[in-house]
Amino acid sequence: QSALTQPPSASGSPGQSVTISCTGTSSDVGGYNYVSWYQQHPGKAPKLMIHDVSQRPSGVPDRFSGSKSGNTASLTVSGLQAEDEADYYCSSYSGTDNWVFGGGTKLTVL
Amino acid sequence: EVQLVESGGGLVQRGGSLRLSCAASGLTFSTYWMSWVRQAPGKGLEWVANINEDGTKKYYVDSVKGRFTISRDNAKNSLYLQMNSLRGEDTAVYYCARDRYWARDYWGQGTLVTVSS
């Protein structure tokens, strides 16, 4: 049950787009379309932003989008806003009734 | 509005036990899988365990198997995590979360568990 690999940091200026990657294996990310993304502001609980690779829950701005290619999933934030500055975590079903998270990416809005 | 409120965290000695609770409201609790997810200080998220709607199926991350037990009481709209033989690496904020969409769509604010030596 190894953690998924995310870059520790990412950044962009307001209005720009930024993409955060999440790399796993064929046993997790590549094997199932059950990748989700979470946003966490300091001292707060995580918030679901994307589920099932690319689906946005009600209330999540359409500036947030998800995709997957092979063993790598991606979260793209378009039209960056100051409030998007947070930690982002990916997660995937890893088979045998287990779930795995990525190490997290700190997104900075310059 | 869905609300999940954890309680029961605190300071415990290595080898000790603790029982976490999660009180749910604003949802039909008995129709959802539920999870516990933890976050060590300054670290990332780690899925710990989940349980199906009627409590008959329970799954755990390898590091807690045999030490932690997840359970629920649908009559009380409550989720529990019994933690035994606690280790230093169990120190974390423990979140209760609702499972939906093959993800965790609502989270509580968490309860801090600190295991001291």
Side-chain angles (χ1 to χ4, degrees):
Chain A
Q1 295 164 333
S2 300
L4 306 175
T5 300
Q6 296 182 236
S9 63
S11 63
S13 299
Q16 288 186 332
S17 293
V18 64
T19 297
I20 298 170
S21 62
C22 170
T23 302
T25 69
S26 58
S27 297
D28 39 61
V29 174
Y32 307 93
N33 287 323
Y34 299 142
V35 176
S36 51
W37 289 89
Y38 302 87
Q39 177 191 66
Q40 186 179 35
H41 288 108
K44 300 296 186 181
K47 175 186 177 183
L48 178 65
M49 304 303 284
I50 295 287
H51 64 88
D52 295 352
V53 175
S54 61
Q55 303 302 304
R56 274 188 314 277
S58 174
V60 173
D62 60 6
R63 302 184 295 103
F64 291 85
S65 62
S67 63
K68 190 185 86 167
S69 177
N71 296 337
T72 299
S74 299
L75 172 72
T76 297
V77 186
S78 304
L80 270 175
Q81 298 182 5
E83 58 262 36
D84 298 334
E85 184 162 298
D87 293 327
Y88 290 84
Y89 294 91
C90 62
S91 179
S92 174
Y93 181 64
S94 60
T96 59
D97 303 301
N98 270 264
W99 297 83
V100 64
F101 281 92
T105 298
K106 181 176 180 60
L107 175 61
T108 301
V109 180
L110 303 170
Chain B
E1 179 192 3
V2 174
Q3 285 197 326
L4 301 171
V5 180
E6 302 91 338
S7 61
L11 178 63
V12 61
Q13 285 194 330
R14 186 172 296 175
S17 298
L18 213 55
R19 189 196 196 206
L20 306 183
S21 299
C22 171
S25 60
L27 72 162
T28 306
F29 182 72
S30 62
T31 64
Y32 292 98
W33 284 67
M34 298 292 295
S35 281
W36 288 100
V37 178
R38 68 184 178 183
Q39 185 170 34
K43 302 296 184 182
L45 300 170
E46 180 182 37
W47 173 81
V48 174
N50 67 354
I51 186 169
N52 73 334
E53 298 91 334
D54 63 5
T56 57
K57 298 179 181 179
K58 306 174 184 183
Y59 303 104
Y60 302 90
V61 68
D62 285 349
S63 59
V64 308
K65 283 180 181 176
R67 300 189 299 121
F68 289 12
T69 301
I70 189 172
S71 62
R72 65 192 297 162
D73 185 335
N74 287 341
K76 295 182 177 179
N77 288 342
S78 293
L79 177 72
Y80 307 102
L81 186 67
Q82 177 67 42
M83 304 186 297
N84 299 331
S85 302
L86 282 161
R87 306 167 179 169
E89 55 265 37
D90 296 320
T91 294
V93 173
Y94 284 74
Y95 295 101
C96 158
R98 184 178 81 169
D99 286 12
R100 195 180 180 202
Y101 309 127
W102 291 88
R104 269 94 243 157
D105 70 337
Y106 280 99
W107 299 61
Q109 286 305 302
T111 187
L112 176 62
V113 172
T114 303
V115 182
S116 71
S117 55

